[in-house]
Amino acid sequence: MEPGSYPLLEGIDEPAQLRAVAATQLPQVATELRDFLLESVARSGGHLAAGLGVIELTLALHYVYQTPDDRLVWDVGHQCYPHKILTGRRGRIHTVRKTDGIAGFPKRDESPYDTFGVGHSSTSLSAAVGMAMAARAQGEQRKVCAVIGDGGMTAGQAFEALNHAGDARPDLLVVLNDNEMSISENVGALSRTFARLLSGGLYGNLRREGKRVLEHLPTPMREFAKRAEAHAKGMVIPGTFFEELGFQYFGPVDGHDLDTLVPVLRRLRDLDGPRLLHVVTRKGKGYAKAEANPIAYHGVKAFDPAKGLAGSSGGGAPTYTDVFGQWLCDAAERDPRVWGITPAMREGSGLVDFARRYPDRYADVGIAEQHSVTLAAGLACEGERPVLAIYSTFLQRGYDQLIHDVALQRLPVLFAIDRAGLVGADGPTHNGSFDLSYLRCIPNIVIMAPADENECRQMLHTGLCHDGPAAVRYPRGKGPGATVEPALRALPLGKAELRREGERVALLAFGSMVTPAGEAAEALNATVVNMRFVRPLDRECIARMAATHELIVTVEENVIQGGAGSAVAECLSALGVTSPVRHIGLPERFTDHGDPATLLAREGLDAAGIRSAVEGWLDASSRPRDEATG
């Protein structure tokens, strides 16, 4: 980017400098910011459409609020790129989501302007209510503003926060960024109702006709009619819904009109109590291709803005998500009881084709993970076979329902857990680092981890055939390239697969780690076992490996604490076996964002890392005790 290409934007390294710009120049700043964002993301990849849609809103908020002293809390963090550009990170925006670069979401330790870390959605209102209550308790005059939208208002936590705020009455402004989108289109009755009513036709016509009629009525009848109108208004205008919760409602206003946004925000900033400003924006605004297809341009790889994404399908071997999507369609064709459920991740979870072919057995519940789990439980109670496609990190949000509503009742719900392990660019909020640990402590659930694409298909079939809860966890992206067999066969529960026979060391590998463990084993002449099941474990296989090898090493793309390796160690202890056991897995810390292969290598989860760790343990065990212990 040539110096001077963005004359106003290049003079803004912090919001205080933005506030020194004349209000008449803000539209030009918006144009430069939008162009800069498009050029930057086109070069580096990242989230695009959401950021394009909040250019004017971001400018107006930083222009009016005295950030960072005033607290600005973003929800659905992928819309924060313009915010980052305006808060001292313009020169590093090209590193977004890359190894050692800036995060793609607000991150508290990255900037004082990132007041609350956001990766999952619908948390901003709860956090902002807490911040506003803290300011009141501390006697501070700072203001708090939360921006929620891009589907975030479909989650139950948002309404829990609204309910509490209406009672606690903190000094808080909520900006509802209504762009009729999350990642996929917004779903649900609330979203449809808002969209229909905000078109203005129904209520506007009723109100105009009502005024004309009321003019000719006697005074008592006019007063009665006004009270009736207030009641009717609650059925057709969303503002009354928020007002009934204790919020002063303002809007809707055009979220791309700075001449309106700035004065409105100025007035609202100085009011007291909970307020809600309804702002209507367009996802992808200013880039025609993103406006026309905001789903495709939600998150992008590097591309030429003049040509667009060009519709490349990528080709080559299918991803694990592709394998799941094809399997689900095949399963639904064979069995009319099969359902596909997603909490707002139709595209990401591979459900596009299923939704088209089996709309009557497809449910997108919005950003409502808790509901998605219990919905599946309800279907299972009535003899249906629900499959919940959900990211590992999002299943965490429905954990109580997983335990209480599914596992406790032994209901046949199949969890297709995508994005298990390190996901790369999205970082610690999206890494699936904990699912084996949080799943294996729950009774009644079968847990599987496929070594390749074909095994993934067969495990999904195995889970569907199981008369109880089952989970198949698989990584993001492509696997080792195994041929996917059209036929479906159920695997014997709890049976591991011997992949390679060697000496001294037995590598017990789970899921995605089978391939790098196999590569390391060639150099080590080690045995490799594809464990397949985390529950039930193949106890006979584990006992046999311990009896015939000097060292047992477990390998998993999950935190070591409480993970699959821990299950192996517990098994050996229960069997009274004292063979040495070592564990390779994710460390006891949150792994940052970056290139997945680089991150796996850093954590010692590639072939070289596995080999190095094993060689170190073998070397230590071969030294005399006094030398080995120092």
Side-chain angles (χ1 to χ4, degrees):
M1 299 178 188
E2 295 294 328
S5 301
Y6 305 96
L8 291 178
L9 186 62
E10 289 170 12
I12 301 171
D13 292 314
E14 58 181 19
Q17 294 170 317
L18 171 67
R19 292 190 281 270
V21 172
T24 55
Q25 292 182 298
L26 287 179
Q28 179 59 34
V29 178
T31 298
E32 293 182 17
L33 180 55
R34 181 169 276 112
D35 291 345
F36 180 85
L37 176 64
L38 177 58
E39 184 178 358
S40 300
V41 176
R43 287 187 178 188
S44 66
H47 293 112
L48 178 61
L52 291 174
V54 296
I55 294 293
E56 290 82 7
L57 179 59
T58 306
L59 282 170
L61 287 167
H62 279 296
Y63 196 71
V64 171
Y65 280 83
Q66 300 298 305
T67 54
D69 294 331
D70 287 342
R71 308 299 197 238
L72 179 57
V73 186
W74 290 96
D75 211 310
V76 191
H78 51 245
Q79 61 186 331
C80 76
Y81 289 21
H83 159 81
K84 293 202 172 197
I85 293 168
L86 293 173
T87 54
R89 289 164 280 184
R90 185 182 71 253
R92 298 191 66 209
I93 198 69
H94 66 281
T95 71
V96 70
R97 294 162 38 100
K98 298 186 184 304
T99 306
D100 300 323
I102 64 174
F105 304 110
K107 190 176 182 182
R108 279 177 55 83
D109 60 7
E110 187 178 286
S111 169
Y113 294 93
D114 293 0
T115 60
F116 195 74
V118 182
H120 295 179
S121 86
S122 313
T123 58
S124 64
L125 302 191
S126 297
V129 170
M131 292 176 183
M133 293 175 69
R136 182 169 61 191
Q138 296 162 7
E140 298 288 343
Q141 297 302 308
R142 63 177 177 266
K143 298 292 185 175
V144 180
C145 176
V147 183
I148 187 168
D150 217 37
M153 197 63 95
T154 64
Q157 184 176 354
F159 289 93
E160 294 172 17
L162 288 173
N163 180 60
H164 179 225
D167 181 59
R169 301 201 60 75
D171 184 3
L172 166 69
L173 175 65
V174 173
V175 176
L176 173 57
N177 173 27
D178 179 7
N179 62 8
E180 300 183 0
M181 294 290 295
S182 48
I183 295 174
S184 303
E185 297 93 342
N186 278 346
V187 297
L190 181 66
S191 176
R192 289 196 305 273
T193 301
F194 277 20
R196 184 180 70 252
L197 298 177
L198 289 173
S199 64
L202 173 62
Y203 180 69
N205 291 337
L206 286 173
R207 188 173 178 85
R208 284 191 296 272
E209 185 65 17
K211 282 185 175 180
R212 187 181 67 79
V213 173
L214 287 173
E215 289 174 356
H216 304 289
L217 291 177
T219 300
M221 294 185 68
R222 285 204 304 270
E223 293 303 317
F224 175 81
K226 286 180 180 178
R227 291 195 296 271
E229 182 200 20
H231 176 73
K233 182 181 176 184
M235 295 186 291
V236 296
I237 287 295
T240 301
F241 170 79
F242 294 113
E243 288 171 359
E244 291 295 330
L245 288 176
F247 279 74
Q248 299 178 71
Y249 174 88
F250 303 89
V253 299
D254 183 351
H256 301 297
D257 181 2
L258 284 162
D259 290 338
T260 298
L261 277 176
V262 170
V264 166
L265 284 170
R266 277 183 173 149
R267 288 195 293 270
L268 295 186
R269 182 187 181 275
D270 295 332
L271 296 179
D272 295 321
R275 295 91 73 198
L276 186 141
L277 174 62
H278 195 152
V279 174
V280 178
T281 62
R282 185 174 182 85
K283 194 167 183 177
K285 174 71 174 178
Y287 181 50
K289 292 180 171 61
E291 288 188 28
N293 193 353
I295 296 174
Y297 285 87
H298 170 76
V300 298
K301 296 181 180 179
F303 70 102
D304 181 350
K307 297 179 180 178
L309 297 180
S312 173
S313 63
T319 64
Y320 280 101
T321 303
D322 294 334
V323 171
F324 164 75
Q326 183 59 58
W327 167 81
L328 186 61
C329 288
D330 293 345
E333 185 177 1
R334 292 162 53 108
D335 187 344
R337 300 174 302 161
V338 171
W339 285 67
I341 303 171
T342 175
M345 294 305 297
R346 178 185 63 197
E347 286 77 18
S349 292
L351 286 165
V352 173
D353 196 33
F354 182 88
R356 177 184 60 81
R357 292 175 58 183
Y358 303 100
D360 293 339
R361 289 187 269 158
Y362 168 71
D364 182 345
V365 302
I367 303 174
E369 291 85 359
Q370 294 172 305
H371 169 58
S372 72
V373 176
T374 306
L375 169 69
L379 286 166
C381 282
E382 301 302 324
E384 302 297 281
R385 301 307 298 245
V387 179
L388 176 57
I390 190 167
Y391 291 6
S392 170
T393 184
F394 297 154
L395 183 55
Q396 295 164 187
R397 292 162 65 102
Y399 191 58
D400 177 66
Q401 290 70 27
L402 174 60
I403 296 172
H404 182 275
D405 300 337
V406 176
L408 180 61
Q409 304 185 88
R410 299 177 182 266
L411 293 172
V413 176
L414 174 59
F415 295 88
I417 305 175
D418 204 337
R419 269 64 166 182
L422 301 184
V423 298
D426 283 332
T429 59
H430 283 58
N431 285 332
S433 304
F434 311 109
D435 54 77
L436 293 184
S437 299
Y438 71 66
L439 285 172
R440 62 168 291 261
C441 63
I442 303 174
N444 300 334
I445 186 168
V446 170
I447 308 168
M448 295 169 273
D452 56 45
E453 301 90 334
N454 184 56
E455 195 164 75
C456 182
R457 178 175 169 86
Q458 308 310 330
M459 284 183 174
L460 289 163
H461 178 66
T462 303
L464 189 65
C465 293
H466 178 61
D467 189 23
V472 180
R473 59 101 70 170
Y474 46 90
R476 182 179 189 177
K478 297 182 179 181
T483 300
V484 179
E485 302 169 4
L488 292 169
R489 53 187 175 85
L491 304 177
L493 290 183
K495 292 300 180 182
E497 174 196 37
L498 181 64
R499 285 282 181 106
R500 185 185 190 279
E501 286 197 73
E503 300 176 344
R504 299 189 65 190
V505 178
L507 299 176
L508 308 189
F510 293 84
S512 60
M513 289 294 100
V514 172
T515 295
E519 295 172 4
E522 293 297 327
L524 296 166
N525 191 25
T527 294
V528 178
V529 179
N530 171 19
M531 291 300 297
R532 287 182 167 170
F533 291 85
V534 179
R535 169 179 288 134
L537 280 172
D538 191 336
R539 295 166 62 90
E540 293 181 1
C541 175
I542 294 170
R544 186 168 64 254
M545 292 299 111
T548 54
H549 294 78
E550 298 174 21
L551 177 65
I552 300 293
V553 178
T554 67
V555 193
E556 62 190 299
E557 196 175 343
N558 185 86
V559 291
I560 293 173
Q561 290 75 15
S566 294
V568 171
E570 293 162 12
C571 173
L572 289 171
S573 176
L575 293 171
V577 177
T578 58
S579 298
V581 183
R582 299 291 183 269
H583 306 297
I584 298 175
L586 295 174
E588 191 180 357
R589 64 172 180 271
F590 292 104
T591 302
D592 217 342
H593 60 275
D595 172 68
T598 301
L599 296 176
L600 286 170
R602 283 185 177 182
E603 305 295 10
L605 289 174
D606 61 349
I610 295 169
R611 175 182 176 182
S612 176
V614 173
E615 288 176 339
W617 289 323
L618 290 175
D619 181 60
S621 66
S622 65
R623 281 180 279 160
R625 177 176 294 273
D626 57 348
E627 179 184 347
T629 58

